[in-house]
């Protein structure tokens, strides 16, 4: 099928996806729409819960495998929307609607790209595409659940809005629950161990602490206290203050290393990670995908935002049409020209690497 026709059909699919509610864990109807694409294009596929996946026609186990992935779930619409978030509206070359930019444009562009290469023979890589669920809530039934089901993956392109520049690394995430303790008492009595006052020094420690190892692509680890909770009534000094600490991890550390450092050094009575699975990710700048992208004039950078790359242990590249600054915003949109360009760049990139 000609690229122009694939692009036209991809935009039509995106409009239908926008107009079909697909909040995380509620993607069953958008999964049906994606099934419809594969049926119409006579491509065998499988569905695992709300994840739709397929392999290229001439899959060869002796070859390395390239994963193409993006997600079809969305967040709930921003309260500042003035347009109907579940209506695909085209104005001035922009396609408005919830999930248009994050990550519907990427998803349909990758589906079109996969379709373009599906039947080609003698590719250097196998292709696997996964249109995944539960990315926005890092849910248990998203891409992470597919890795034991799909063929082994050697490298991946994860579709997220990057203005079609090459995000060669992505920060990981660890969220910590921390406790600052003190002596509970009546507010009228002397107390030199007030947990709230003790928190002042703790907060200053978090503000000032620096992790030693920077990253070329991702810079420093970024640690931020984002929530504080304490007390139940005006005349009682609480026994403890609860903090939530958000840590964005560069590729110089594993999440476990970050947890160990904070548990050894932080002044909190307790500091406990909620989970350690959302690690940083990267791809070598010497990988053929990156070298081909650079040769095509695409820029490289490190991404501070989290995606399904965090599920992967193989090398992975984040790349897609759209602009991440529009994600989760009111009146979210993607330019139709960005989708057209995205499909062309994806196809050209793979022509350099897998053909």
């Amino acid at each position: 099928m000609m690229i122009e026709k694939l692009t036209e059909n991809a935009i039509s699919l995106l409009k239908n996806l926008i107009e079909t509610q697909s909040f995380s864990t509620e993607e069953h109807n958008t999964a049906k729409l994606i099934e419809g694409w594969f049926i119409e294009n006579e491509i065998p596929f499988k569905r695992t819960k709300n994840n739709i996946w397929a392999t290229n026609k001439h899959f060869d186990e002796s070859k390395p495998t390239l994963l193409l992935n993006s997600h079809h779930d969305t967040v709930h619409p921003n309260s500042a929307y003035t347009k109907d978030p579940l209506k695909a509206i085209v104005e001035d070359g922009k396609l408005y609607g919830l999930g248009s930019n994050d990550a519907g444009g990427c998803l349909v562009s990758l589906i079109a790209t996969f379709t373009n290469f599906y039947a080609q023979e003698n590719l250097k890589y196998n292709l696997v595409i996964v249109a995944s669920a539960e990315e926005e809530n890092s849910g248990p039934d998203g891409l992470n659940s597919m890795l034991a089901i799909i063929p082994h993956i050697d490298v991946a392109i994860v579709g997220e809005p990057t203005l079609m520049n090459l995000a060669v690394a992505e920060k990981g995430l660890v969220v910590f629950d921390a406790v600052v303790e003190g002596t509970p008492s009546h507010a009228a009595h002397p107390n030199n161990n007030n947990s709230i006052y003790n928190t002042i020094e703790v907060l200053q420690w978090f503000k000032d602490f620096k992790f030693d190892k920077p990253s070329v692509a991702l810079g420093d680890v970024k640690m931020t206290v984002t929530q504080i909770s304490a007390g139940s009534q005006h005349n009682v000094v609480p026994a403890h203050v609860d903090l939530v600490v958000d840590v964005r991890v560069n590729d110089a550390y594993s999440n476990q290393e970050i947890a160990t450092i904070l548990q050894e050094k932080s002044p909190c009575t307790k500091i406990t990670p909620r989970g350690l699975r959302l690690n940083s990710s990267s791809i070598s700048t010497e990988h053929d995908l990156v070298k081909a992208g650079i040769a095509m004039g695409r820029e490289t950078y490190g991404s501070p935002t989290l995606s399904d790359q965090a599920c992967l242990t193989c090398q992975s590249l984040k790349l897609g049409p759209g602009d991440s600054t529009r994600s989760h915003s009111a009146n979210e949109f993607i330019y139709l020209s960005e989708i057209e360009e995205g499909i062309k760049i994806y196809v050209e990139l793979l022509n350099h690497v897998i053909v």
Side-chain angles (χ1 to χ4, degrees):
M1 190 182 298
M2 296 294 290
I3 295 296
E4 292 77 10
K5 185 61 176 177
L6 275 173
T7 301
E8 178 185 330
N9 292 347
I11 291 171
S12 178
L13 174 60
L14 178 54
K15 290 176 179 178
N16 289 331
L17 290 172
I18 288 169
E19 296 192 345
T20 305
Q21 179 183 305
S22 57
F23 304 143
S24 297
T25 73
E26 301 175 17
E27 311 95 339
H28 45 282
N29 288 324
T30 46
K32 289 180 181 178
L33 292 174
I34 296 164
E35 286 180 340
W37 172 285
F38 289 108
I39 292 168
E40 183 177 342
N41 288 280
E42 300 181 346
I43 297 174
F45 67 91
K46 294 182 180 179
R47 176 170 178 167
T48 304
K49 295 189 176 178
N50 290 328
N51 302 282
I52 309 299
W53 65 281
T55 60
N56 62 302
K57 185 174 183 178
H58 301 288
F59 190 95
D60 181 346
E61 291 185 358
S62 69
K63 296 179 179 180
T65 297
L66 168 61
L67 169 67
L68 306 178
N69 164 252
S70 192
H71 63 95
H72 58 102
D73 63 315
T74 71
V75 295
H76 287 261
N78 187 301
S79 61
Y81 260 88
T82 60
K83 299 179 183 293
D84 184 345
L86 296 179
K87 181 73 173 176
I89 300 169
V90 177
E91 292 178 358
D92 301 322
K94 301 174 183 177
L95 174 56
Y96 289 90
L98 185 65
S100 57
N101 182 78
D102 183 19
C106 301
L107 175 64
V108 300
S109 297
L110 283 172
I111 290 174
T113 301
F114 174 84
T115 302
N116 179 73
F117 289 100
Y118 165 71
Q120 288 195 33
E121 298 183 40
N122 301 315
L123 297 177
K124 296 176 183 176
Y125 281 77
N126 299 310
L127 292 178
V128 176
I129 188 162
V130 179
S132 54
E134 297 191 16
E135 190 272 349
E136 294 290 6
N137 68 342
S138 299
D141 294 324
L143 179 63
N144 55 307
S145 70
M146 298 301 298
L147 299 178
I149 296 171
I150 63 176
H152 171 78
I153 302 302
D154 296 281
V155 66
I157 296 175
V158 176
E160 289 284 336
T162 69
L163 294 170
M164 291 309 291
N165 287 315
L166 312 171
V168 296
E170 175 187 277
K171 282 189 173 179
L173 170 65
V174 189
V175 178
F176 291 88
D177 292 300
V179 178
V180 181
E181 292 188 342
T183 302
S185 69
H186 193 291
H189 297 154
N191 186 341
N192 293 322
N193 191 31
N194 184 315
S195 61
I196 293 176
Y197 293 161
N198 292 346
T199 304
I200 296 171
E201 290 186 3
V202 173
L203 293 175
Q204 192 66 48
W205 184 90
F206 279 111
K207 182 179 179 182
D208 294 341
F209 184 81
K210 302 294 183 185
F211 292 89
D212 294 333
K213 295 186 287 186
S215 160
V216 173
L218 294 171
D220 294 328
V221 174
K222 186 175 188 300
M223 181 163 62
T224 310
V225 177
T226 56
Q227 292 176 259
I228 299 177
S229 177
S232 59
Q233 59 191 67
H234 77 90
N235 58 352
V236 177
V237 175
H240 59 87
V241 175
D242 297 317
L243 307 178
V244 176
V245 185
D246 178 295
V247 183
R248 304 290 166 150
V249 184
N250 66 22
D251 54 351
Y253 294 91
S254 70
N255 286 358
Q256 181 59 65
E257 288 175 313
I258 294 293
T260 299
I261 289 168
L262 291 184
Q263 287 169 341
E264 289 177 353
K265 295 188 176 182
S266 85
C268 298
T269 311
K270 298 177 184 176
I271 184 163
T272 307
R274 293 182 180 178
L276 297 172
R277 67 183 180 88
L278 300 176
N279 282 285
S280 62
S281 52
S282 63
I283 187 171
S284 169
T285 54
E286 294 301 310
H287 195 282
D288 287 345
L289 283 170
V290 179
K291 290 197 292 186
I294 292 172
M296 291 165 57
R298 313 317 299 177
E299 297 179 0
T300 63
Y301 73 103
S303 173
T305 58
L306 200 67
S307 74
D308 268 338
Q309 274 186 287
C311 303
L312 303 173
T313 56
C314 64
Q315 294 192 82
S316 56
L317 172 68
K318 184 156 68 176
L319 174 68
D323 187 337
S324 68
T325 62
R326 303 182 206 135
S327 300
H328 305 181
S329 65
N331 299 331
E332 179 184 348
F333 71 89
I334 189 168
Y335 287 98
L336 295 175
S337 61
E338 290 177 325
I339 299 172
E340 295 165 4
E341 179 192 46
I343 293 172
K344 288 178 182 177
I345 291 175
Y346 278 143
V347 169
E348 183 181 352
L349 182 68
L350 294 192
N351 272 326
H352 283 300
V353 176
I354 73 172
V355 175

